[in-house]
Amino acid sequence: MLRANHHARETDALLPSVSRRFSFAPPQVREKYLIGALFVLTLVALLAPALPASAWHIPHFVDTRTWLGVPNAGDVLSNLAFLAMGAWGLLRLRAHPDAPAGAGCLFVGLILTCIGSCIYHLDPDAPQRLVADRLGMAVAFAGFLGIAASERISMRAGQAVVVLVTVAGLLAAWVARENLTPWVVVQFGGMALAVGLALTRPRPGALGVSLGGVIFFYALAKLFELGDVTIFEATGHIVSGHTLKHLAAALAAWPVIRALRPTGSAPSPR
């Protein structure tokens, strides 16, 4: 009898922690707005006219130089920045049990992006290799949106976003072999959602990740991508815009890693 009572008390003590971890409370106002935004993006991805992959301009990267036997060395080796930032982030994450949902997904996604982008840039004229590049990007992007939702809405919102965007992103990357519309919605619609979250006041207890800093480096990477040839010519063929794109995109993880620093208070989000 005493053992049964002791077991009951242990069970009762565990229930509050379980309920805190898996909250089934009605959605908050911000969570309702997030659900609405995700629903709209899903409708657009499913119902918008298909954008055939064959109609999409296949980029011809300007820097095709070989170095140490590595073809397209600038665009291939610059992907090591993703590996470095992903590994650094995972090391920082081990000391932060209070990290926002999606942080681990972001850092793992960066490592996968390094692998996938290297595979693609070794032979960018093989379009099937682009799938490997996009799969890693989808995982990293889901992690970032999970962080944004955790910081601005709630932890459970961040967890849900990580799962939903990971599934949607991987499916969109695979479908993009024939229809690019879902991938465009995931990438640009997701970034629009991130901008909206960045303009929202942080929730109480947020770690303090600078979402604006992540978005800045993402936008800078896009500008470098568009200026591939121009930058290559302007630098006297020292570096191409696409190579700089990889470095800027990897630096987008820096605001997250900085917020996970082991000592001192978390930075104030901007």
Side-chain angles (χ1 to χ4, degrees):
M1 183 67 180
L2 290 175
R3 180 179 296 180
N5 291 336
H6 178 68
H7 178 71
R9 286 194 298 270
E10 287 182 342
T11 303
D12 292 340
L14 286 173
L15 287 176
S17 63
V18 173
S19 62
R20 284 193 298 268
R21 184 178 300 177
F22 303 100
S23 176
F24 296 100
Q28 307 166 4
V29 174
R30 290 188 183 184
E31 290 175 335
K32 291 179 180 178
Y33 283 126
L34 177 63
I35 292 171
L38 292 174
F39 180 71
V40 170
L41 290 177
T42 301
L43 288 181
V44 174
L46 294 176
L47 302 179
L51 181 61
S54 59
W56 189 261
H57 171 67
I58 300 176
H60 296 282
F61 306 105
V62 65
D63 190 358
T64 59
R65 294 173 295 183
T66 297
W67 184 62
L68 297 179
V70 179
N72 310 312
D75 292 344
V76 172
L77 298 179
S78 57
N79 285 295
L80 294 176
F82 292 116
L83 176 62
M85 298 301 281
W88 188 13
L90 289 176
L91 287 175
R92 283 283 183 92
L93 195 59
R94 294 175 61 184
H96 272 272
D98 59 337
C105 185
L106 169 64
F107 299 136
V108 171
L110 290 176
I111 295 173
L112 294 176
T113 298
C114 171
I115 297 171
S117 188
C118 283
I119 292 173
Y120 170 57
H121 283 287
L122 284 171
D123 186 9
D125 291 329
Q128 64 273 17
R129 292 186 174 220
L130 189 55
V131 177
D133 187 22
R134 287 172 174 158
L135 290 176
M137 292 169 57
V139 175
F141 197 59
F144 169 57
L145 286 180
I147 292 172
S150 296
E151 290 283 287
R152 294 302 196 260
I153 299 179
S154 66
M155 186 63 75
R156 69 175 182 179
Q159 293 167 344
V161 166
V162 170
V163 174
L164 293 175
V165 178
T166 297
V167 173
L170 293 177
L171 289 175
W174 185 258
V175 171
R177 298 176 304 161
E178 298 178 357
N179 178 16
L180 281 167
T181 297
W183 178 252
V184 171
V185 173
V186 167
Q187 189 172 17
F188 293 100
M191 187 50 61
L193 177 61
V195 171
L197 290 171
L199 296 174
T200 304
R201 185 171 53 193
R203 68 173 179 83
L207 183 62
V209 177
S210 175
L211 301 182
V214 178
I215 294 170
F216 167 78
F217 283 112
Y218 179 86
L220 184 62
K222 283 297 180 184
L223 292 176
F224 283 145
E225 181 180 34
L226 294 174
D228 187 30
V229 176
T230 302
I231 293 173
F232 192 61
E233 296 295 336
T235 60
H237 296 185
I238 295 176
V239 64
S240 71
H242 202 85
T243 295
L244 292 179
K245 174 212 171 179
H246 289 163
L247 300 179
L251 283 174
W254 165 241
V256 182
I257 294 174
R258 181 171 180 265
L260 293 170
R261 64 186 185 275
T263 59
S265 59
S268 299
R270 293 187 296 274

